[in-house]
Amino acid sequence: MKSLLYLYILSLFCMQIISAQPVRIQNIGARDTTSLNGYWKIIIDPYENGYYDYRYQPNPNGYFKNSKAESKSDLVEYNFDESDSLLVPGDWNTQIEKLFLYEGTVWYKKSFQYTPEDDNRLFINFGAVNYNAIVYVNGNKVGEHTGGFTQFCNEITSFAQEGENFIVVKVDNKRLREGVPTLNTDWWNYGGITRDVTLITTPSTFIEDYSIQLDPGNNQKINFKVDINGMEDDMPVLINIPELFISLTLPKSMREFSIVSIPDHWSPQNPKLYDVVIQYNKEIIKDKIGFRTVETRGTDMLLNGMPVFLKGISIHEESPIKGGRANSMDDAVQTLKRVKELGCNFVRLAHYPHNENIIRAAEEAGIMVWSEIPVYWTILWDNEETYANAENQLVEMIERDKNRANVIIWSMANETPRSDQRLKFLGNLINKTRQLDSTRLISAATELTYEGNTITLDDPLSNLLDVIGANEYIGWYSRTPDDAPLLKWESNFNKPLIISEFGGGALAGYHGDKDTRWTEEYQENIYVNQLKMLDKIPFLKGMSPWILADFRSPRRPLSNIQDFWNRKGLISNNGEKKKAFYILQEYYSRK
Ligand code: GCU
């Protein structure tokens, strides 16, 4: 009898270990899901009172217990049921006035009903939580995540019960010197559960992950890889792509397979996506997948073997509809409408992985994507935890979007000061990227050398990149706008260059002569002269000017002009197009 008891305790312990491990379920939207979006109860906790006792030691009876006073004499000093609410997904800064500048912990709580069926398993997925999240189900810790822009998923099968359950999430958006990003950024530190929260029900054994991509070295070969989670029986994985007459039956011993096929290639002109159906036992998953190759040849970038010029624009993840963090398909559609009107075939999603809606909407619309992890400015290069955090965010970015044809560039970093430690840190990230995904290009916004009228690409980081990114602000942070056409560009590398940022600020509706800072005319003159300069660079193969729309930043206080907005947008935060918008639009129409 004793051995049975020990066995039972051991199995519970193992279940706890297993369920605490994060899983990466591919294509959440195609699963058997229940949305937990909506109003969540919150408790604002600037002194971490819900987590630590008065000695600042972890408090076993913290807010995650959602305790209730059992009798009229009981002392419980918090009550979610009587507290404020926040809409999820959404940042707290733009929902509650007193949280506009708040940096600290907010506790979220949501109840849900659950009916266990057969031997199904239950998971919870967060599209993103900025910045650190600890997740509890019925008072038990089920997972923790650091990083404000990538999804994370934990199994909660052994913690959920029949009937009513409650989830509590501790969200802490404090900036940290050792963080990724670190303390200083030129964007608003929007805190909260900023993307969708989803319960996922799966069979006991299910399709956890899959990759279906055109072989980077042979555009008539499609590579398939499927990972099954759970105790495997001898059932095969079935994969069908009807339009390509592909119908695969992959036995347990063959979860990786390649097949000759000549699909219609995805491109901006023809954003062709194929219906793909993957089945294992009772589970059927549907996806839409495009097939293309992207590579470089000398200073050229090739899409499906043909030279391409990336007519782009940089974008921060802010909603053009309501401000604050963007997360919805409506946000994505509205933003891409502006991108298309500008005449772009490319967007640089700065400076962190954006939500999946904009990636999928851009794929349908034929817009190529540069996706980036927030290794931004002065990261703590020789801190091991910082590296592990950056690498984890990199893996989560790649894992979520590895089947998206329009994602062509993974960017490792933005404007990081040169040093040996930085080169080692980024070199390791680049190696990790090449291990995970050989089908895309690697870039970063590198450093430049300015000498007189010559600008040289000479950052040693570029030795490790496929495509060189560079941000320059001739006419805004240095020189005058009229100097730009006088400047010469040189490169120490036989690689394509993307000017990943250029531009200047303007307050929409403020007009004057072209030498008056902050007027639309000043910004317009920057664009006129920048484009004259850039047109003369033979190894320039793309650009993503900074930036589509004005965005909030704590670093931009100038009263009556900035008021905590970075004004380099071609469109104001009220949707007004500035004169420079039309300069770039006309240039792209001729490109
Ligand atoms: C930098 C940086 C951006 C910033 C921009 C600016 O290049 O990459 O994040 O917003 O300059 O100064 O406006």
Side-chain angles (χ1 to χ4, degrees), residues 230-500:
M231 302 294 282
E232 281 217 48
D233 46 30
D234 283 333
M235 295 299 286
V237 171
L238 310 177
I239 301 179
N240 282 286
I241 310 180
E243 262 193 272
L244 292 176
F245 307 102
I246 290 176
S247 176
L248 300 180
T249 303
L250 302 182
K252 184 173 175 181
S253 58
M254 199 192 296
R255 295 297 192 231
E256 285 194 52
F257 188 77
S258 297
I259 191 168
V260 173
S261 175
I262 308 178
D264 210 1
H265 289 160
W266 184 94
S267 72
Q269 297 75 17
N270 174 32
K272 173 67 182 170
L273 298 176
Y274 285 88
D275 288 329
V276 178
V277 181
I278 308 166
Q279 180 168 357
Y280 179 81
N281 258 334
K282 299 172 293 204
E283 190 184 29
I284 295 177
I285 297 168
K286 293 180 181 173
D287 205 343
K288 289 185 176 302
I289 291 185
F291 299 102
R292 56 97 188 100
T293 60
V294 63
E295 61 200 305
T296 63
R297 188 182 299 145
T299 60
D300 275 333
M301 283 184 59
L302 308 180
L303 181 72
N304 301 318
M306 301 294 289
V308 66
F309 186 90
L310 304 183
K311 301 186 287 186
I313 190 74
S314 287
I315 297 178
H316 257 303
E317 191 181 47
E318 282 199 343
S319 168
I321 300 167
K322 59 182 181 0
R325 275 280 167 254
N327 44 53
S328 69
M329 187 51 89
D330 287 349
D331 287 331
V333 168
Q334 178 57 32
T335 291
L336 291 172
K337 184 165 160 278
R338 293 171 163 181
V339 166
K340 280 281 195 186
E341 191 181 348
L342 195 52
C344 301
N345 62 6
F346 171 67
V347 287
R348 172 173 176 250
L349 300 184
H351 283 297
Y352 38 74
H354 287 212
N355 66 82
E356 190 173 1
N357 288 318
I358 188 120
I359 301 272
R360 288 216 180 234
E363 188 179 44
E364 302 258 353
I367 299 286
M368 295 175 280
V369 164
W370 158 310
S371 193
E372 179 163 301
I373 50 174
V375 175
Y376 181 96
W377 288 354
T378 56
I379 292 286
L380 216 47
W381 305 113
D382 46 10
N383 179 307
E384 282 179 18
E385 268 180 40
T386 302
Y387 178 78
N389 178 356
E391 185 177 276
N392 185 57
Q393 293 187 49
L394 171 76
V395 171
E396 290 174 338
M397 171 176 75
I398 293 173
E399 287 300 319
R400 190 194 74 183
D401 294 336
K402 63 189 177 186
N403 290 314
R404 304 280 70 79
N406 64 324
V407 178
I408 59 166
I409 290 173
W410 299 124
S411 170
M412 303 293 111
N414 180 73
E415 291 187 358
T416 52
R418 304 185 204 210
S419 76
D420 293 344
Q421 296 89 336
R422 163 257 202 180
L423 196 55
K424 180 171 180 289
F425 188 103
L426 297 181
N428 289 336
L429 288 178
I430 289 164
N431 293 339
K432 184 69 179 178
T433 304
R434 294 206 191 285
Q435 273 169 31
L436 287 172
D437 179 9
S438 59
T439 71
R440 290 176 174 86
L441 303 175
I442 296 176
S443 189
T446 60
E447 298 296 279
L448 297 166
T449 294
Y450 295 79
E451 268 162 347
N453 280 352
T454 303
I455 302 175
T456 307
L457 300 175
D458 62 356
D459 188 331
L461 173 61
S462 296
N463 285 308
L464 309 176
L465 303 176
D466 298 312
V467 180
I468 301 169
N471 301 343
E472 49 86 10
Y473 283 88
I474 304 295
W476 182 257
Y477 290 124
S478 64
R479 313 294 288 262
T480 70
D482 299 332
D483 285 343
L486 310 174
L487 304 183
K488 208 158 73 63
W489 285 72
E490 291 180 357
S491 172
N492 294 353
F493 311 94
N494 182 27
K495 296 181 177 180
L497 165 67
I498 292 177
I499 292 294
S500 33

Side-chain angles (χ1 to χ4, degrees), residues 39-43 80-85 107-109:
Y39 282 98
W40 289 49
K41 288 294 192 175
I42 63 152
I43 294 175
F80 278 109
D81 302 341
E82 302 299 317
S83 68
D84 284 340
S85 298
W107 293 83
Y108 287 72
K109 181 251 172 186

